[in-house]
Amino acid sequence: MTYFWSAPRFIAVAAPSKKTDDEHKKRNPDYEPKPPVYEDYALMKVLYMLRTRGFNSNYPVNVFQYGNTVIPIDFSGLQDSDVIFVVGHGNDHGLYAMGPKAEEGNKRFIRILTEDGNLKAKRKGKEIVIMLLSCRAGLGLHKAVARKLTTALGQDVTVGGPLGFTFGSHMTNATERSEVLIQGLPWCMEYPQAYDDPKDPTQAEKETSAREGRTITYESKKKEIEEFIKQKKRLEVGFKQIIGKLKSKEVNKALDELEKNFGVPWKGLVHLQFDLYFPARKESDLEFDMWYPKVLEGYVWTTGKKTTAAEAVLKGDVTLLGARATSIQ
C-alpha cells in the first residue's frame, strides 16, 4: 500500500456535460442532471478543504469533462512530488461524469488523463500516485484505472479509492482523504438504493451486526436514526443555501468567493457535520459508527501490475442511485 500524508496536490474534478447528461437521460428517463461543479455543494465542500495549501495559498483546481471534443487535463504544471487527486461523483464502476457505460466511461477517463502527454513525459520512470475521491471507487474502479493507465503510460501506476460513500470534512485538508461511510446501516440510512431491495434493511443489519459483534436492527434504532437523518438534512440545507449565493461560475473563482464571503458559516457547517457523524455511536445513541474512525481503514490501494485483466473489466452501467446521482461527497 502506498502511504502518503500532507503530500503536494494536483487536484482535478469531474464535471458533467450535456453529452453525458443526455446519455444518462437516454438510459434512465427519470435522470435529473447533476449541477455544474460550482453549484454542487458536496463537491465544493471537498474542494474547499483539499485545495488549502497554507496561509493565504491554495492549490488550483482543474475541471475536466467529457464532451463532443475531448479536452485532456492540462498536466503541464505537474510536479514530481504531486499526488493526483480526482474528485467526482461515482461508484465502483466509474465516474458519473464520464457517462453511463462503465467500460466506455473508463476509456474516456484514461484519454482525459493521457492525451495531454505531460503525465507520461513528466513522470517517466517516476512514481505516479492517484487518489480517486469518488464514492465506492475502492470497490473496483481503482483497479480498472490502475491497470488501463499503466498500459497507456507504459509504466506502473498506483491508484487508491474509498470503500464506501464519502464525505468531505474539516479533516480532509490534513488527511487528504474524505471520510468514508461504513457498509451496513450507515449506507441504508443515507442511500437505501445501494441495496437490491431498498425497503428491506436485512442485509444492512447483517453487515452492521457482524461488525459490532451483536444484533442491531433498523427497527430497534428507528427513533435515533430518524433524529439523525433530520439533523443531517438540516445541515445539507445550510450548505445548499450558501452555495446558492455564489455568483462566480468558474470553480476556482467560486471557491475564492466562498472563502472570502462565506468562509465562517461554511466552515461552521463542515464542523457541525463532522460533530454529528464522527461520535454518532454514543452522541446519537446509534450504537454503531457512521464512518471509519480511522480514515485509512476506509481506503484500499492497488497498482496496474498487481491488477489482473479480469479485475480491470468494468461490466454494466454506472448505475445512479435512483434518479439522481448521490449528493454525498
Side-chain angles (χ1 to χ4, degrees), residues 37-38 43-49 51 58-59 61 246 248 250-260 266:
V37 175
Y38 59 85
L43 294 181
M44 290 289 283
K45 178 153 59 78
V46 176
L47 296 172
Y48 182 89
M49 301 307 301
R51 76 174 190 143
N58 297 307
Y59 292 100
V61 174
L246 300 180
S248 303
E250 192 278 320
V251 171
N252 288 281
K253 291 181 180 178
L255 287 164
D256 288 342
E257 182 186 348
L258 179 60
E259 185 171 12
K260 179 181 178 181
W266 182 263

Side-chain angles (χ1 to χ4, degrees), residues 94-137:
L95 299 171
Y96 295 145
M98 294 296 100
K101 294 183 179 180
E103 193 67 17
E104 182 178 340
N106 196 37
K107 289 179 181 178
R108 292 173 172 179
F109 182 43
I110 299 301
R111 288 184 63 189
I112 287 172
L113 288 171
T114 58
E115 287 193 4
D116 168 65
N118 279 308
L119 181 57
K120 183 173 184 177
K122 286 178 168 287
R123 287 295 182 84
K124 185 176 182 179
K126 302 173 183 177
E127 186 178 37
I128 299 175
V129 180
I130 297 176
M131 169 67 87
L132 300 175
L133 290 181
S134 179
C135 295
R136 299 184 290 173

Side-chain angles (χ1 to χ4, degrees), residues 73-93:
I73 296 172
D74 179 7
F75 282 112
S76 60
L78 185 67
Q79 303 298 309
D80 285 353
S81 55
D82 286 346
V83 169
I84 299 169
F85 292 86
V86 178
V87 180
H89 294 296
N91 61 18
D92 49 323
H93 292 296

Side-chain angles (χ1 to χ4, degrees), residues 204-260:
E205 291 170 346
K206 289 180 179 179
E207 291 163 347
T208 293
S209 296
R211 177 180 172 84
E212 297 298 330
R214 64 183 187 279
T215 300
I216 298 179
T217 66
Y218 190 100
E219 190 62 32
S220 68
K221 305 306 300 182
K222 186 176 181 179
K223 179 181 177 181
E224 291 82 1
I225 287 173
E226 289 179 346
E227 178 59 28
F228 184 94
I229 292 174
K230 184 189 300 182
Q231 292 186 53
K232 75 105 175 178
K233 286 184 176 179
R234 189 180 301 125
L235 295 174
E236 290 170 358
V237 168
F239 284 121
K240 292 176 182 178
Q241 287 176 339
I242 292 177
I243 289 296
K245 296 177 182 179
L246 300 180
K247 297 178 180 179
S248 303
K249 294 186 177 182
E250 192 278 320
V251 171
N252 288 281
K253 291 181 180 178
L255 287 164
D256 288 342
E257 182 186 348
L258 179 60
E259 185 171 12
K260 179 181 178 181

Side-chain angles (χ1 to χ4, degrees), residues 106-218:
N106 196 37
K107 289 179 181 178
R108 292 173 172 179
F109 182 43
I110 299 301
R111 288 184 63 189
I112 287 172
L113 288 171
T114 58
E115 287 193 4
D116 168 65
N118 279 308
L119 181 57
K120 183 173 184 177
K122 286 178 168 287
R123 287 295 182 84
K124 185 176 182 179
K126 302 173 183 177
E127 186 178 37
I128 299 175
V129 180
I130 297 176
M131 169 67 87
L132 300 175
L133 290 181
S134 179
C135 295
R136 299 184 290 173
L139 295 175
L141 179 61
H142 69 305
K143 292 183 178 181
V145 172
R147 171 91 179 191
K148 294 185 179 181
L149 192 54
T150 292
T151 299
L153 296 177
Q155 69 181 83
D156 207 11
V157 178
T158 300
V159 182
L163 294 170
F165 297 98
T166 58
F167 277 80
S169 80
H170 70 285
M171 297 297 292
T172 298
N173 176 257
T175 65
E176 297 183 305
R177 294 162 175 81
S178 295
E179 312 294 343
V180 183
L181 283 181
I182 299 169
Q183 190 165 347
L185 287 174
W187 284 24
C188 184
M189 290 165 61
E190 296 288 347
Y191 260 102
Q193 298 96 325
Y195 291 93
D196 292 335
D197 186 349
K199 296 182 180 180
D200 183 4
T202 303
Q203 182 59 36
E205 291 170 346
K206 289 180 179 179
E207 291 163 347
T208 293
S209 296
R211 177 180 172 84
E212 297 298 330
R214 64 183 187 279
T215 300
I216 298 179
T217 66
Y218 190 100

